[in-house]
Amino acid sequence: MIKFAVLGYGVVGSGVVELFYKNKKSIEKHAGCEMDIKYIVDIRDFPDSPYKDKFTKDFSDVLNDPEISVVAECMGGTEPAFTFVKSALDSGKSVATSNKELVAAKGDILLESARKQNCNFFFEASVGGAIPIIRPLHRCLAANDINAVAGILNGTTNFILTKMYTEGMAFSEALELAQNLGYAEKDPTADVEGHDACRKICIISSLVFGKHVYPENVYTKGISEIELCDVASADVLGHSVKLVASVKRIGDGRILPVVMPMLVPHENIMSGVSDVFNAVLVYGDGIDKTMFYGRGAGKLPTASAVLGDVIEASKHNVTVFSQTWTSSEDRSFIAPVDELSAKWYFRIPADSACDVEDSYCDENGRSFITKENLTFAQAKKTAEELNASAFMPVLGE
Ligand code: HSE
């Protein structure tokens, strides 16, 4: 019998409990043993919950209970999550987490703790919600040299951009709707300004390239400056506007991770990824490219990934070594955004004397896409020279 604890009874934690009891029999079949939730840790009171006997406010009940072999962490934030997760791992209890902030900031330390105790720190739910991506990257695709990953990794912003595009909905109204549906972070600034997507591309980059990539080293720009007219003119020019998180290995072996709103050509499969859905495109020498697609946020989709990890943790009594990376004091393997090379979208004043082919003009200005690649540094300078009110890269192949 595997007994596990759930830390945090918010959107994701309550989803873990709900889905576990809904599918308990088949979950046990997959785990190969009986399972039950012994504790739910939350500082709030839930007197009407059918699980009220399982609640505790004291994490040490979990830590000091030798019957608990797996902990599902769904609290979010770095503290007290880090302290709880580290002490659980240090005492040999495996952890499954949905907490991308924790993994992006402290994944290297927690993986090391798990290794020392021969248990596991799993985080499938931290990237892409329901989408299996962490395990495929280090298992199913392990035969490849993966050289790039690009994804729509934030459900809230994709939902907002979709509503702006399909319904002409105002930004603030679409955000409120996303919050009501349980997609957004506690502080939606993390979604809107790209920090959530940044944490997720850090996790992917660390896993794929083997060294911890910290959020502060990744150029991150969100969608708060995107205007309806950019979404509309991008469409006329044959593109969708998406918040893209990407990483690629550049010529000299360094990697270039970024999070930015980008124009995605309509013929690129990611252009049609709408609402709360996420997609991750993985480029490797064996596979060419493979796309993973699914619900990127929400209660049961995220709970599905957490429980998948709880089941995995129940089956493994040794550390899964393929899912790892090392700390990185020296960050010189990360190239600066100035080196990002792409075609660029510009929106410039309608009466600009600049002579460009294939531009689209309306009352909001003239929009066009460059024929040639420019680096970010060059595009920024051009935007200043042309007095552009918006400029964004176009996602390449
Ligand atoms: N706020 C996140 C999103 C939740 O919108 O994608 C899932 O990580």
Side-chain angles (χ1 to χ4, degrees):
M1 163 78 100
I2 295 284
K3 294 194 178 172
F4 69 102
V6 178
L7 311 189
Y9 198 63
V11 174
V12 178
S14 62
V16 167
V17 176
E18 181 183 328
L19 196 62
F20 176 75
Y21 284 111
K22 179 170 181 285
N23 295 335
K24 188 169 182 292
K25 283 213 158 35
S26 68
I27 287 173
E28 289 176 330
K29 198 168 153 219
H30 286 294
C33 61
E34 285 184 85
M35 293 178 72
D36 206 359
I37 296 172
K38 185 164 181 182
Y39 301 102
I40 304 171
V41 181
D42 200 295
I43 50 170
R44 297 166 294 178
D45 292 310
F46 295 90
D48 302 326
S49 166
Y51 312 110
K52 59 179 182 292
D53 296 343
K54 298 182 188 294
F55 278 92
T56 173
K57 295 184 182 183
D58 188 355
F59 173 67
S60 59
D61 288 343
V62 174
L63 194 61
N64 297 329
D65 187 336
E67 271 195 333
I68 297 291
S69 55
V70 184
V71 173
E73 188 273 308
C74 310
M75 302 165 68
T78 42
E79 281 299 347
F82 175 67
T83 305
F84 289 180
V85 169
K86 185 154 187 338
S87 52
L89 294 168
D90 287 341
S91 64
K93 300 179 195 299
S94 288
V95 174
T97 186
S98 56
N99 186 341
K100 52 262 161 163
E101 192 175 345
L102 176 69
V103 186
K106 307 278 187 187
D108 50 347
I109 299 169
L110 296 170
L111 285 164
E112 177 64 15
S113 292
R115 254 193 314 273
K116 281 189 181 146
Q117 292 302 323
N118 210 15
C119 59
N120 280 293
F121 177 55
F122 287 146
F123 42 86
E124 186 63 69
S126 68
V127 180
I131 306 175
I133 181 64
I134 299 299
R135 201 160 287 114
L137 279 173
H138 70 87
R139 288 213 145 144
C140 319
L141 302 179
N144 287 263
D145 177 25
I146 294 172
N147 46 47
V149 180
I152 294 170
L153 296 179
N154 183 265
T156 301
T157 46
N158 205 41
F159 181 84
I160 293 171
L161 290 169
T162 304
K163 291 286 173 200
M164 287 170 77
Y165 174 60
T166 57
E167 297 174 31
M169 193 180 274
F171 184 94
S172 54
E173 198 187 336
L175 172 59
E176 200 182 320
L177 198 51
Q179 286 177 293
N180 291 341
L181 289 167
Y183 300 155
E185 297 300 294
K186 273 183 213 152
D187 174 2
T189 316
D191 297 296
V192 169
E193 298 305 341
H195 306 304
D196 178 74
C198 172
R199 290 166 188 148
K200 292 166 180 169
I201 200 67
C202 285
I203 296 168
I204 287 179
S205 305
S206 305
L207 183 62
V208 169
F209 297 106
K211 288 186 195 172
H212 197 115
V213 175
Y214 298 90
E216 60 268 29
N217 297 112
V218 178
Y219 177 85
T220 300
K221 187 172 168 63
I223 64 163
S224 57
E225 289 170 21
I226 302 291
E227 297 191 23
L228 278 175
C229 60
D230 291 312
V231 176
S233 47
D235 186 41
V236 174
L237 294 167
H239 297 71
S240 304
V241 179
K242 298 287 179 194
L243 183 67
V244 175
S246 67
V247 62
K248 66 162 77 164
R249 193 192 298 116
I250 57 175
D252 57 5
R254 290 176 302 153
I255 63 166
L256 179 39
V258 292
V259 177
M260 294 172 91
M262 294 191 192
L263 265 65
V264 181
H266 285 329
E267 57 272 20
N268 184 315
I269 195 164
M270 284 219 299
S271 168
V273 174
S274 55
D275 289 316
V276 73
F277 285 87
N278 282 194
V280 192
L281 267 170
V282 181
Y283 299 81
D285 55 356
I287 54 172
D288 180 21
K289 60 187 171 193
T290 295
M291 189 170 98
F292 298 80
Y293 170 83
R295 288 189 179 274
K299 181 175 173 169
L300 296 185
T302 313
S304 154
V306 174
L307 281 169
D309 276 351
V310 169
I311 295 166
E312 277 305 298
S314 305
K315 290 195 294 198
H316 286 284
N317 51 9
V318 291
T319 303
V320 174
F321 276 99
S322 58
Q323 184 215 250
T324 194
W325 59 79
T326 59
S327 300
S328 48
E329 301 269 297
D330 176 5
R331 318 265 169 104
S332 60
F333 69 102
I334 300 175
V337 69
D338 278 349
E339 295 183 34
L340 176 74
S341 174
K343 293 189 169 63
W344 291 79
Y345 160 92
F346 291 96
R347 176 159 52 89
I348 61 176
D351 58 1
S352 168
C354 168
D355 184 24
V356 281
E357 286 173 45
D358 301 332
S359 66
Y360 166 68
C361 207
D362 63 15
E363 68 279 10
N364 299 298
R366 194 136 61 97
S367 307
F368 68 95
I369 292 171
T370 60
K371 300 261 184 251
E372 306 298 331
N373 275 17
L374 301 174
T375 63
F376 177 87
Q378 291 166 327
K380 198 170 163 206
K381 189 158 171 273
T382 306
E384 281 161 14
E385 285 165 3
L386 297 181
N387 198 18
S389 42
F391 74 109
M392 288 180 256
V394 176
L395 182 67
E397 270 305 292

